Amino acid sequence: MNYLNFLEAVIIMIAVTLPLLIGKNKKNEENLFWASMVSVVLAIIATFVTGNANIGVLNFSNFWAILIPFIAGFITYGIYGLNFEIQYSKFSPITWLIFIPIIDTLIFRHIGILYTSEMNFKIQVLAWFFPVNVFLISIIASLIYFFIYLRNGVKEAIVDAAVFFVFGMIAGYIYVNYGILTAFVSELVFNLWRIIFGSIKFQR
């Protein structure tokens, strides 16, 4: 394992997501929208600098790679919405269906997994086998999002970090096996439920 490459990958991840930390600290979906726009630009630049992504294709064989995140998103954000208020505004759809999936897919999946590709041996998590680098990048992503959401309180930040860890494992596995395009769509359908439930006022 080239630890210098790993350190460089972590620095890129933090640099790209730093605007999200600033935007989310203001606890406003509009600020998160503008911050994520900046992060998207940084993510695209970083991707061009670090190399070409495995785009992959969407076809019928990828059906389960989309259906599983769709179901997981329903369960995750359904439970989340029962316990926490999901912030929603006119900026939320493009933020969570376009910007955040682009950032996560390019930075945590493409660059993160690319720079840690030497860690390709697998470990068992529950009943599934995941490459070690997918597991490692999911942990890093969850820690970054923990600090992004910390302003909302420690409890909510932990839950948000757990959400991003679980989906990081799913999307990382999809990226490795189906490519970056399918990984992007999988996060889009996962976050779709955040938009749906965010527009619904849960009874607590």
Side-chain angles (χ1 to χ4, degrees), residues 119-154:
M119 303 179 68
N120 54 11
F121 55 95
K122 295 184 177 181
I123 58 173
Q124 184 174 1
V125 180
L126 299 178
W128 295 272
F129 289 88
F130 292 89
V132 170
N133 56 344
V134 169
F135 179 75
L136 181 62
I137 298 305
S138 298
I139 291 178
I140 295 173
S142 66
L143 287 174
I144 290 175
Y145 277 104
F146 170 80
F147 288 108
I148 290 174
Y149 284 87
L150 188 57
R151 183 73 174 264
N152 293 352
V154 174

PDB file of all heavy atoms in Angstrom, residues 119-154:
ATOM      1  N   MET A 119      -5.406  -2.028  -2.086  1.00  0.00           N
ATOM      2  CA  MET A 119      -6.099  -2.732  -0.991  1.00  0.00           C
ATOM      3  C   MET A 119      -7.309  -3.456  -1.570  1.00  0.00           C
ATOM      4  O   MET A 119      -8.462  -3.143  -1.256  1.00  0.00           O
ATOM      5  CB  MET A 119      -6.516  -1.735   0.091  1.00  0.00           C
ATOM      6  CG  MET A 119      -5.360  -0.938   0.668  1.00  0.00           C
ATOM      7  SD  MET A 119      -5.872   0.248   1.917  1.00  0.00           S
ATOM      8  CE  MET A 119      -6.402  -0.832   3.237  1.00  0.00           C
ATOM      9  N   ASN A 120      -7.075  -4.422  -2.431  1.00  0.00           N
ATOM     10  CA  ASN A 120      -8.159  -5.079  -3.145  1.00  0.00           C
ATOM     11  C   ASN A 120      -8.598  -6.403  -2.533  1.00  0.00           C
ATOM     12  O   ASN A 120      -9.503  -7.046  -3.044  1.00  0.00           O
ATOM     13  CB  ASN A 120      -7.773  -5.299  -4.621  1.00  0.00           C
ATOM     14  CG  ASN A 120      -6.461  -6.045  -4.753  1.00  0.00           C
ATOM     15  OD1 ASN A 120      -5.947  -6.573  -3.769  1.00  0.00           O
ATOM     16  ND2 ASN A 120      -5.926  -6.084  -5.951  1.00  0.00           N
ATOM     17  N   PHE A 121      -7.945  -6.833  -1.426  1.00  0.00           N
ATOM     18  CA  PHE A 121      -8.413  -8.052  -0.772  1.00  0.00           C
ATOM     19  C   PHE A 121      -9.710  -7.762  -0.031  1.00  0.00           C
ATOM     20  O   PHE A 121      -9.996  -6.624   0.344  1.00  0.00           O
ATOM     21  CB  PHE A 121      -7.348  -8.613   0.179  1.00  0.00           C
ATOM     22  CG  PHE A 121      -6.860  -7.648   1.223  1.00  0.00           C
ATOM     23  CD1 PHE A 121      -7.416  -7.630   2.488  1.00  0.00           C
ATOM     24  CD2 PHE A 121      -5.827  -6.760   0.935  1.00  0.00           C
ATOM     25  CE1 PHE A 121      -6.963  -6.746   3.448  1.00  0.00           C
ATOM     26  CE2 PHE A 121      -5.359  -5.872   1.892  1.00  0.00           C
ATOM     27  CZ  PHE A 121      -5.927  -5.862   3.152  1.00  0.00           C
ATOM     28  N   LYS A 122     -10.511  -8.791   0.173  1.00  0.00           N
ATOM     29  CA  LYS A 122     -11.871  -8.595   0.674  1.00  0.00           C
ATOM     30  C   LYS A 122     -12.017  -9.041   2.125  1.00  0.00           C
ATOM     31  O   LYS A 122     -11.327  -9.934   2.600  1.00  0.00           O
ATOM     32  CB  LYS A 122     -12.872  -9.350  -0.209  1.00  0.00           C
ATOM     33  CG  LYS A 122     -12.937  -8.821  -1.634  1.00  0.00           C
ATOM     34  CD  LYS A 122     -13.998  -9.524  -2.451  1.00  0.00           C
ATOM     35  CE  LYS A 122     -14.085  -8.927  -3.852  1.00  0.00           C
ATOM     36  NZ  LYS A 122     -15.136  -9.566  -4.675  1.00  0.00           N
ATOM     37  N   ILE A 123     -12.931  -8.373   2.799  1.00  0.00           N
ATOM     38  CA  ILE A 123     -13.296  -8.744   4.164  1.00  0.00           C
ATOM     39  C   ILE A 123     -14.803  -8.982   4.203  1.00  0.00           C
ATOM     40  O   ILE A 123     -15.549  -8.445   3.376  1.00  0.00           O
ATOM     41  CB  ILE A 123     -12.923  -7.649   5.178  1.00  0.00           C
ATOM     42  CG1 ILE A 123     -13.602  -6.319   4.817  1.00  0.00           C
ATOM     43  CG2 ILE A 123     -11.420  -7.473   5.269  1.00  0.00           C
ATOM     44  CD1 ILE A 123     -13.414  -5.238   5.855  1.00  0.00           C
ATOM     45  N   GLN A 124     -15.231  -9.790   5.151  1.00  0.00           N
ATOM     46  CA  GLN A 124     -16.651 -10.088   5.275  1.00  0.00           C
ATOM     47  C   GLN A 124     -17.303  -9.121   6.247  1.00  0.00           C
ATOM     48  O   GLN A 124     -16.849  -8.953   7.378  1.00  0.00           O
ATOM     49  CB  GLN A 124     -16.877 -11.524   5.739  1.00  0.00           C
ATOM     50  CG  GLN A 124     -18.350 -11.917   5.786  1.00  0.00           C
ATOM     51  CD  GLN A 124     -18.546 -13.381   6.119  1.00  0.00           C
ATOM     52  OE1 GLN A 124     -17.585 -14.114   6.328  1.00  0.00           O
ATOM     53  NE2 GLN A 124     -19.805 -13.817   6.183  1.00  0.00           N
ATOM     54  N   VAL A 125     -18.356  -8.455   5.782  1.00  0.00           N
ATOM     55  CA  VAL A 125     -19.165  -7.577   6.618  1.00  0.00           C
ATOM     56  C   VAL A 125     -20.579  -8.137   6.586  1.00  0.00           C
ATOM     57  O   VAL A 125     -21.236  -8.112   5.547  1.00  0.00           O
ATOM     58  CB  VAL A 125     -19.147  -6.126   6.112  1.00  0.00           C
ATOM     59  CG1 VAL A 125     -19.999  -5.240   7.014  1.00  0.00           C
ATOM     60  CG2 VAL A 125     -17.722  -5.606   6.059  1.00  0.00           C
ATOM     61  N   LEU A 126     -21.009  -8.668   7.727  1.00  0.00           N
ATOM     62  CA  LEU A 126     -22.270  -9.408   7.793  1.00  0.00           C
ATOM     63  C   LEU A 126     -22.199 -10.577   6.804  1.00  0.00           C
ATOM     64  O   LEU A 126     -21.333 -11.417   6.908  1.00  0.00           O
ATOM     65  CB  LEU A 126     -23.456  -8.481   7.510  1.00  0.00           C
ATOM     66  CG  LEU A 126     -23.622  -7.310   8.514  1.00  0.00           C
ATOM     67  CD1 LEU A 126     -24.785  -6.433   8.131  1.00  0.00           C
ATOM     68  CD2 LEU A 126     -23.777  -7.824   9.944  1.00  0.00           C
ATOM     69  N   ALA A 127     -23.087 -10.613   5.801  1.00  0.00           N
ATOM     70  CA  ALA A 127     -23.109 -11.738   4.858  1.00  0.00           C
ATOM     71  C   ALA A 127     -22.441 -11.413   3.535  1.00  0.00           C
ATOM     72  O   ALA A 127     -22.446 -12.227   2.623  1.00  0.00           O
ATOM     73  CB  ALA A 127     -24.560 -12.175   4.618  1.00  0.00           C
ATOM     74  N   TRP A 128     -21.850 -10.200   3.426  1.00  0.00           N
ATOM     75  CA  TRP A 128     -21.280  -9.770   2.156  1.00  0.00           C
ATOM     76  C   TRP A 128     -19.771  -9.603   2.270  1.00  0.00           C
ATOM     77  O   TRP A 128     -19.236  -9.371   3.351  1.00  0.00           O
ATOM     78  CB  TRP A 128     -21.916  -8.447   1.721  1.00  0.00           C
ATOM     79  CG  TRP A 128     -23.372  -8.581   1.421  1.00  0.00           C
ATOM     80  CD1 TRP A 128     -23.963  -8.924   0.238  1.00  0.00           C
ATOM     81  CD2 TRP A 128     -24.462  -8.358   2.335  1.00  0.00           C
ATOM     82  NE1 TRP A 128     -25.327  -8.950   0.355  1.00  0.00           N
ATOM     83  CE2 TRP A 128     -25.663  -8.610   1.630  1.00  0.00           C
ATOM     84  CE3 TRP A 128     -24.529  -8.002   3.684  1.00  0.00           C
ATOM     85  CZ2 TRP A 128     -26.915  -8.496   2.222  1.00  0.00           C
ATOM     86  CZ3 TRP A 128     -25.767  -7.889   4.287  1.00  0.00           C
ATOM     87  CH2 TRP A 128     -26.945  -8.136   3.548  1.00  0.00           C
ATOM     88  N   PHE A 129     -19.121  -9.688   1.124  1.00  0.00           N
ATOM     89  CA  PHE A 129     -17.672  -9.499   1.062  1.00  0.00           C
ATOM     90  C   PHE A 129     -17.375  -8.198   0.321  1.00  0.00           C
ATOM     91  O   PHE A 129     -17.826  -7.990  -0.805  1.00  0.00           O
ATOM     92  CB  PHE A 129     -17.010 -10.681   0.340  1.00  0.00           C
ATOM     93  CG  PHE A 129     -17.024 -11.945   1.146  1.00  0.00           C
ATOM     94  CD1 PHE A 129     -18.109 -12.820   1.073  1.00  0.00           C
ATOM     95  CD2 PHE A 129     -15.972 -12.252   1.999  1.00  0.00           C
ATOM     96  CE1 PHE A 129     -18.124 -13.984   1.825  1.00  0.00           C
ATOM     97  CE2 PHE A 129     -15.987 -13.422   2.756  1.00  0.00           C
ATOM     98  CZ  PHE A 129     -17.067 -14.290   2.671  1.00  0.00           C
ATOM     99  N   PHE A 130     -16.634  -7.304   0.988  1.00  0.00           N
ATOM    100  CA  PHE A 130     -16.307  -5.997   0.423  1.00  0.00           C
ATOM    101  C   PHE A 130     -14.795  -5.841   0.334  1.00  0.00           C
ATOM    102  O   PHE A 130     -14.065  -6.270   1.233  1.00  0.00           O
ATOM    103  CB  PHE A 130     -16.859  -4.869   1.302  1.00  0.00           C
ATOM    104  CG  PHE A 130     -18.352  -4.777   1.325  1.00  0.00           C
ATOM    105  CD1 PHE A 130     -19.092  -5.495   2.256  1.00  0.00           C
ATOM    106  CD2 PHE A 130     -19.030  -3.964   0.423  1.00  0.00           C
ATOM    107  CE1 PHE A 130     -20.476  -5.410   2.294  1.00  0.00           C
ATOM    108  CE2 PHE A 130     -20.400  -3.871   0.462  1.00  0.00           C
ATOM    109  CZ  PHE A 130     -21.127  -4.594   1.383  1.00  0.00           C
ATOM    110  N   PRO A 131     -14.299  -5.174  -0.735  1.00  0.00           N
ATOM    111  CA  PRO A 131     -12.875  -4.825  -0.775  1.00  0.00           C
ATOM    112  C   PRO A 131     -12.530  -3.916   0.402  1.00  0.00           C
ATOM    113  O   PRO A 131     -13.354  -3.089   0.822  1.00  0.00           O
ATOM    114  CB  PRO A 131     -12.729  -4.088  -2.111  1.00  0.00           C
ATOM    115  CG  PRO A 131     -13.872  -4.566  -2.943  1.00  0.00           C
ATOM    116  CD  PRO A 131     -15.000  -4.802  -1.970  1.00  0.00           C
ATOM    117  N   VAL A 132     -11.353  -4.074   0.950  1.00  0.00           N
ATOM    118  CA  VAL A 132     -10.941  -3.285   2.113  1.00  0.00           C
ATOM    119  C   VAL A 132     -10.979  -1.788   1.816  1.00  0.00           C
ATOM    120  O   VAL A 132     -11.354  -0.991   2.674  1.00  0.00           O
ATOM    121  CB  VAL A 132      -9.529  -3.708   2.567  1.00  0.00           C
ATOM    122  CG1 VAL A 132      -8.983  -2.742   3.618  1.00  0.00           C
ATOM    123  CG2 VAL A 132      -9.556  -5.112   3.146  1.00  0.00           C
ATOM    124  N   ASN A 133     -10.598  -1.402   0.581  1.00  0.00           N
ATOM    125  CA  ASN A 133     -10.588   0.029   0.281  1.00  0.00           C
ATOM    126  C   ASN A 133     -11.993   0.616   0.281  1.00  0.00           C
ATOM    127  O   ASN A 133     -12.186   1.772   0.664  1.00  0.00           O
ATOM    128  CB  ASN A 133      -9.876   0.315  -1.049  1.00  0.00           C
ATOM    129  CG  ASN A 133     -10.464  -0.434  -2.223  1.00  0.00           C
ATOM    130  OD1 ASN A 133     -11.206  -1.392  -2.048  1.00  0.00           O
ATOM    131  ND2 ASN A 133     -10.116  -0.012  -3.423  1.00  0.00           N
ATOM    132  N   VAL A 134     -12.994  -0.151  -0.116  1.00  0.00           N
ATOM    133  CA  VAL A 134     -14.385   0.322  -0.058  1.00  0.00           C
ATOM    134  C   VAL A 134     -14.783   0.573   1.391  1.00  0.00           C
ATOM    135  O   VAL A 134     -15.399   1.598   1.718  1.00  0.00           O
ATOM    136  CB  VAL A 134     -15.339  -0.700  -0.716  1.00  0.00           C
ATOM    137  CG1 VAL A 134     -16.799  -0.341  -0.426  1.00  0.00           C
ATOM    138  CG2 VAL A 134     -15.106  -0.763  -2.213  1.00  0.00           C
ATOM    139  N   PHE A 135     -14.425  -0.358   2.271  1.00  0.00           N
ATOM    140  CA  PHE A 135     -14.717  -0.216   3.704  1.00  0.00           C
ATOM    141  C   PHE A 135     -14.008   0.998   4.287  1.00  0.00           C
ATOM    142  O   PHE A 135     -14.600   1.799   5.024  1.00  0.00           O
ATOM    143  CB  PHE A 135     -14.282  -1.493   4.426  1.00  0.00           C
ATOM    144  CG  PHE A 135     -14.513  -1.472   5.911  1.00  0.00           C
ATOM    145  CD1 PHE A 135     -15.781  -1.630   6.434  1.00  0.00           C
ATOM    146  CD2 PHE A 135     -13.454  -1.284   6.781  1.00  0.00           C
ATOM    147  CE1 PHE A 135     -15.999  -1.602   7.814  1.00  0.00           C
ATOM    148  CE2 PHE A 135     -13.651  -1.266   8.154  1.00  0.00           C
ATOM    149  CZ  PHE A 135     -14.931  -1.425   8.669  1.00  0.00           C
ATOM    150  N   LEU A 136     -12.732   1.172   3.938  1.00  0.00           N
ATOM    151  CA  LEU A 136     -11.930   2.272   4.464  1.00  0.00           C
ATOM    152  C   LEU A 136     -12.466   3.630   4.007  1.00  0.00           C
ATOM    153  O   LEU A 136     -12.612   4.559   4.817  1.00  0.00           O
ATOM    154  CB  LEU A 136     -10.482   2.108   4.012  1.00  0.00           C
ATOM    155  CG  LEU A 136      -9.487   3.172   4.486  1.00  0.00           C
ATOM    156  CD1 LEU A 136      -9.388   3.182   5.995  1.00  0.00           C
ATOM    157  CD2 LEU A 136      -8.115   2.925   3.863  1.00  0.00           C
ATOM    158  N   ILE A 137     -12.783   3.751   2.718  1.00  0.00           N
ATOM    159  CA  ILE A 137     -13.296   5.020   2.196  1.00  0.00           C
ATOM    160  C   ILE A 137     -14.662   5.335   2.785  1.00  0.00           C
ATOM    161  O   ILE A 137     -14.998   6.503   3.024  1.00  0.00           O
ATOM    162  CB  ILE A 137     -13.355   4.988   0.653  1.00  0.00           C
ATOM    163  CG1 ILE A 137     -11.950   4.805   0.068  1.00  0.00           C
ATOM    164  CG2 ILE A 137     -13.982   6.269   0.111  1.00  0.00           C
ATOM    165  CD1 ILE A 137     -10.943   5.831   0.529  1.00  0.00           C
ATOM    166  N   SER A 138     -15.470   4.321   3.046  1.00  0.00           N
ATOM    167  CA  SER A 138     -16.779   4.537   3.675  1.00  0.00           C
ATOM    168  C   SER A 138     -16.618   5.122   5.072  1.00  0.00           C
ATOM    169  O   SER A 138     -17.390   5.996   5.485  1.00  0.00           O
ATOM    170  CB  SER A 138     -17.566   3.222   3.740  1.00  0.00           C
ATOM    171  OG  SER A 138     -17.819   2.716   2.455  1.00  0.00           O
ATOM    172  N   ILE A 139     -15.616   4.654   5.806  1.00  0.00           N
ATOM    173  CA  ILE A 139     -15.341   5.194   7.140  1.00  0.00           C
ATOM    174  C   ILE A 139     -14.912   6.658   7.044  1.00  0.00           C
ATOM    175  O   ILE A 139     -15.391   7.511   7.806  1.00  0.00           O
ATOM    176  CB  ILE A 139     -14.255   4.362   7.847  1.00  0.00           C
ATOM    177  CG1 ILE A 139     -14.797   2.976   8.190  1.00  0.00           C
ATOM    178  CG2 ILE A 139     -13.761   5.070   9.105  1.00  0.00           C
ATOM    179  CD1 ILE A 139     -13.776   2.061   8.844  1.00  0.00           C
ATOM    180  N   ILE A 140     -14.008   6.951   6.104  1.00  0.00           N
ATOM    181  CA  ILE A 140     -13.543   8.326   5.930  1.00  0.00           C
ATOM    182  C   ILE A 140     -14.702   9.243   5.550  1.00  0.00           C
ATOM    183  O   ILE A 140     -14.842  10.354   6.086  1.00  0.00           O
ATOM    184  CB  ILE A 140     -12.430   8.384   4.870  1.00  0.00           C
ATOM    185  CG1 ILE A 140     -11.190   7.631   5.357  1.00  0.00           C
ATOM    186  CG2 ILE A 140     -12.068   9.836   4.537  1.00  0.00           C
ATOM    187  CD1 ILE A 140     -10.107   7.479   4.318  1.00  0.00           C
ATOM    188  N   ALA A 141     -15.553   8.782   4.630  1.00  0.00           N
ATOM    189  CA  ALA A 141     -16.707   9.581   4.216  1.00  0.00           C
ATOM    190  C   ALA A 141     -17.637   9.850   5.388  1.00  0.00           C
ATOM    191  O   ALA A 141     -18.133  10.971   5.564  1.00  0.00           O
ATOM    192  CB  ALA A 141     -17.464   8.872   3.093  1.00  0.00           C
ATOM    193  N   SER A 142     -17.874   8.833   6.205  1.00  0.00           N
ATOM    194  CA  SER A 142     -18.772   9.005   7.349  1.00  0.00           C
ATOM    195  C   SER A 142     -18.191   9.992   8.359  1.00  0.00           C
ATOM    196  O   SER A 142     -18.924  10.792   8.952  1.00  0.00           O
ATOM    197  CB  SER A 142     -19.041   7.659   8.022  1.00  0.00           C
ATOM    198  OG  SER A 142     -17.865   7.135   8.610  1.00  0.00           O
ATOM    199  N   LEU A 143     -16.872   9.971   8.552  1.00  0.00           N
ATOM    200  CA  LEU A 143     -16.240  10.919   9.475  1.00  0.00           C
ATOM    201  C   LEU A 143     -16.353  12.354   8.955  1.00  0.00           C
ATOM    202  O   LEU A 143     -16.632  13.282   9.725  1.00  0.00           O
ATOM    203  CB  LEU A 143     -14.759  10.556   9.666  1.00  0.00           C
ATOM    204  CG  LEU A 143     -14.479   9.322  10.517  1.00  0.00           C
ATOM    205  CD1 LEU A 143     -12.992   8.991  10.494  1.00  0.00           C
ATOM    206  CD2 LEU A 143     -14.960   9.529  11.950  1.00  0.00           C
ATOM    207  N   ILE A 144     -16.149  12.531   7.651  1.00  0.00           N
ATOM    208  CA  ILE A 144     -16.255  13.868   7.064  1.00  0.00           C
ATOM    209  C   ILE A 144     -17.675  14.399   7.212  1.00  0.00           C
ATOM    210  O   ILE A 144     -17.892  15.546   7.635  1.00  0.00           O
ATOM    211  CB  ILE A 144     -15.833  13.843   5.583  1.00  0.00           C
ATOM    212  CG1 ILE A 144     -14.319  13.622   5.471  1.00  0.00           C
ATOM    213  CG2 ILE A 144     -16.230  15.140   4.879  1.00  0.00           C
ATOM    214  CD1 ILE A 144     -13.812  13.455   4.056  1.00  0.00           C
ATOM    215  N   TYR A 145     -18.665  13.566   6.916  1.00  0.00           N
ATOM    216  CA  TYR A 145     -20.053  14.013   7.040  1.00  0.00           C
ATOM    217  C   TYR A 145     -20.466  14.190   8.497  1.00  0.00           C
ATOM    218  O   TYR A 145     -21.358  14.989   8.800  1.00  0.00           O
ATOM    219  CB  TYR A 145     -21.000  13.062   6.309  1.00  0.00           C
ATOM    220  CG  TYR A 145     -21.090  13.370   4.832  1.00  0.00           C
ATOM    221  CD1 TYR A 145     -20.437  12.583   3.891  1.00  0.00           C
ATOM    222  CD2 TYR A 145     -21.812  14.472   4.381  1.00  0.00           C
ATOM    223  CE1 TYR A 145     -20.508  12.881   2.534  1.00  0.00           C
ATOM    224  CE2 TYR A 145     -21.887  14.774   3.033  1.00  0.00           C
ATOM    225  CZ  TYR A 145     -21.236  13.977   2.118  1.00  0.00           C
ATOM    226  OH  TYR A 145     -21.302  14.293   0.774  1.00  0.00           O
ATOM    227  N   PHE A 146     -19.830  13.465   9.400  1.00  0.00           N
ATOM    228  CA  PHE A 146     -20.094  13.675  10.820  1.00  0.00           C
ATOM    229  C   PHE A 146     -19.763  15.115  11.203  1.00  0.00           C
ATOM    230  O   PHE A 146     -20.554  15.796  11.867  1.00  0.00           O
ATOM    231  CB  PHE A 146     -19.269  12.704  11.664  1.00  0.00           C
ATOM    232  CG  PHE A 146     -19.303  13.011  13.140  1.00  0.00           C
ATOM    233  CD1 PHE A 146     -20.371  12.622  13.917  1.00  0.00           C
ATOM    234  CD2 PHE A 146     -18.267  13.713  13.742  1.00  0.00           C
ATOM    235  CE1 PHE A 146     -20.418  12.916  15.277  1.00  0.00           C
ATOM    236  CE2 PHE A 146     -18.291  14.011  15.098  1.00  0.00           C
ATOM    237  CZ  PHE A 146     -19.377  13.606  15.868  1.00  0.00           C
ATOM    238  N   PHE A 147     -18.608  15.601  10.774  1.00  0.00           N
ATOM    239  CA  PHE A 147     -18.219  16.973  11.104  1.00  0.00           C
ATOM    240  C   PHE A 147     -19.051  17.997  10.340  1.00  0.00           C
ATOM    241  O   PHE A 147     -19.289  19.100  10.841  1.00  0.00           O
ATOM    242  CB  PHE A 147     -16.729  17.170  10.830  1.00  0.00           C
ATOM    243  CG  PHE A 147     -15.845  16.471  11.826  1.00  0.00           C
ATOM    244  CD1 PHE A 147     -15.131  15.338  11.470  1.00  0.00           C
ATOM    245  CD2 PHE A 147     -15.754  16.933  13.124  1.00  0.00           C
ATOM    246  CE1 PHE A 147     -14.324  14.687  12.394  1.00  0.00           C
ATOM    247  CE2 PHE A 147     -14.948  16.291  14.064  1.00  0.00           C
ATOM    248  CZ  PHE A 147     -14.243  15.161  13.692  1.00  0.00           C
ATOM    249  N   ILE A 148     -19.514  17.637   9.149  1.00  0.00           N
ATOM    250  CA  ILE A 148     -20.392  18.544   8.404  1.00  0.00           C
ATOM    251  C   ILE A 148     -21.696  18.758   9.160  1.00  0.00           C
ATOM    252  O   ILE A 148     -22.218  19.869   9.232  1.00  0.00           O
ATOM    253  CB  ILE A 148     -20.672  17.988   6.990  1.00  0.00           C
ATOM    254  CG1 ILE A 148     -19.400  18.069   6.127  1.00  0.00           C
ATOM    255  CG2 ILE A 148     -21.815  18.748   6.310  1.00  0.00           C
ATOM    256  CD1 ILE A 148     -19.525  17.417   4.770  1.00  0.00           C
ATOM    257  N   TYR A 149     -22.222  17.698   9.762  1.00  0.00           N
ATOM    258  CA  TYR A 149     -23.527  17.769  10.423  1.00  0.00           C
ATOM    259  C   TYR A 149     -23.440  17.991  11.929  1.00  0.00           C
ATOM    260  O   TYR A 149     -24.467  18.019  12.607  1.00  0.00           O
ATOM    261  CB  TYR A 149     -24.326  16.492  10.144  1.00  0.00           C
ATOM    262  CG  TYR A 149     -24.907  16.457   8.757  1.00  0.00           C
ATOM    263  CD1 TYR A 149     -24.173  15.959   7.689  1.00  0.00           C
ATOM    264  CD2 TYR A 149     -26.180  16.955   8.503  1.00  0.00           C
ATOM    265  CE1 TYR A 149     -24.686  15.942   6.407  1.00  0.00           C
ATOM    266  CE2 TYR A 149     -26.705  16.946   7.225  1.00  0.00           C
ATOM    267  CZ  TYR A 149     -25.955  16.434   6.183  1.00  0.00           C
ATOM    268  OH  TYR A 149     -26.467  16.430   4.916  1.00  0.00           O
ATOM    269  N   LEU A 150     -22.234  18.145  12.459  1.00  0.00           N
ATOM    270  CA  LEU A 150     -22.055  18.256  13.904  1.00  0.00           C
ATOM    271  C   LEU A 150     -22.792  19.461  14.474  1.00  0.00           C
ATOM    272  O   LEU A 150     -23.241  19.431  15.621  1.00  0.00           O
ATOM    273  CB  LEU A 150     -20.563  18.336  14.237  1.00  0.00           C
ATOM    274  CG  LEU A 150     -20.188  18.269  15.716  1.00  0.00           C
ATOM    275  CD1 LEU A 150     -20.725  16.979  16.348  1.00  0.00           C
ATOM    276  CD2 LEU A 150     -18.679  18.344  15.882  1.00  0.00           C
ATOM    277  N   ARG A 151     -22.942  20.514  13.686  1.00  0.00           N
ATOM    278  CA  ARG A 151     -23.641  21.726  14.155  1.00  0.00           C
ATOM    279  C   ARG A 151     -25.093  21.418  14.523  1.00  0.00           C
ATOM    280  O   ARG A 151     -25.699  22.115  15.340  1.00  0.00           O
ATOM    281  CB  ARG A 151     -23.575  22.794  13.047  1.00  0.00           C
ATOM    282  CG  ARG A 151     -24.192  24.144  13.411  1.00  0.00           C
ATOM    283  CD  ARG A 151     -23.315  24.905  14.396  1.00  0.00           C
ATOM    284  NE  ARG A 151     -23.834  26.240  14.635  1.00  0.00           N
ATOM    285  CZ  ARG A 151     -23.419  27.327  14.004  1.00  0.00           C
ATOM    286  NH1 ARG A 151     -22.473  27.234  13.086  1.00  0.00           N
ATOM    287  NH2 ARG A 151     -23.928  28.503  14.285  1.00  0.00           N
ATOM    288  N   ASN A 152     -25.644  20.350  13.929  1.00  0.00           N
ATOM    289  CA  ASN A 152     -27.033  19.975  14.224  1.00  0.00           C
ATOM    290  C   ASN A 152     -27.161  19.172  15.518  1.00  0.00           C
ATOM    291  O   ASN A 152     -28.261  18.811  15.914  1.00  0.00           O
ATOM    292  CB  ASN A 152     -27.614  19.151  13.071  1.00  0.00           C
ATOM    293  CG  ASN A 152     -27.776  19.963  11.800  1.00  0.00           C
ATOM    294  OD1 ASN A 152     -27.590  21.174  11.802  1.00  0.00           O
ATOM    295  ND2 ASN A 152     -28.116  19.301  10.721  1.00  0.00           N
ATOM    296  N   GLY A 153     -26.039  18.887  16.156  1.00  0.00           N
ATOM    297  CA  GLY A 153     -26.055  18.102  17.385  1.00  0.00           C
ATOM    298  C   GLY A 153     -25.326  16.791  17.192  1.00  0.00           C
ATOM    299  O   GLY A 153     -25.310  16.228  16.091  1.00  0.00           O
ATOM    300  N   VAL A 154     -24.726  16.295  18.274  1.00  0.00           N
ATOM    301  CA  VAL A 154     -23.914  15.080  18.186  1.00  0.00           C
ATOM    302  C   VAL A 154     -24.755  13.880  17.775  1.00  0.00           C
ATOM    303  O   VAL A 154     -24.345  13.078  16.922  1.00  0.00           O
ATOM    304  CB  VAL A 154     -23.233  14.794  19.543  1.00  0.00           C
ATOM    305  CG1 VAL A 154     -22.499  13.450  19.497  1.00  0.00           C
ATOM    306  CG2 VAL A 154     -22.261  15.916  19.899  1.00  0.00           C
TER     307      VAL A 154
END
